Amino acid sequence: MTTASTLHHRMTHLGLSPLQLAQTAILPEPMITAWLAGAPAYPSQLIRCAPALQMSEDTFLDAIGGKRDRRYWPLPEPAPDRIGRRAPEAPADRP
């Protein structure tokens, strides 16, 4: 998970625009927009977004650090045509 993907995911889930997140976190909108575009962010700035994203600060910082909390990011369900299908087996090595 990157900072941008974390922000995108939670904003989409909550229906927030960059302006709404910026207003709630009391940060400039260009800063939020830059983070969404992949610009580096400092944890001391990002932590102000946690309440607006309805996340604990620890969970938010872990997500930005690449950790995944399944309460916020469950694994996607398999496509209906893949349910019950087994993955193809790799060919056995032959001597």
Side-chain angles (χ1 to χ4, degrees), residues 2-83:
T2 64
T3 302
S5 65
T6 300
L7 289 171
H8 276 292
H9 177 79
R10 289 304 293 168
M11 288 171 59
T12 300
H13 179 76
L14 297 169
L16 293 173
S17 70
L19 176 61
Q20 289 169 320
L21 178 59
Q23 288 173 336
T24 304
I26 312 171
L27 291 168
E29 184 182 8
M31 183 179 288
I32 302 291
T33 305
W35 291 342
L36 290 170
Y42 297 100
S44 60
Q45 296 169 324
L46 282 170
I47 209 68
R48 295 171 69 165
C49 297
L53 298 173
Q54 298 178 10
M55 300 175 70
S56 72
E57 293 176 359
D58 291 340
T59 300
F60 188 46
L61 291 175
D62 283 348
I64 292 165
K67 297 179 184 175
R68 182 181 185 130
D69 185 327
R70 295 185 193 280
R71 291 174 298 168
Y72 294 96
W73 294 281
L75 291 174
E77 294 295 322
D81 66 332
R82 300 238 180 227
I83 296 174

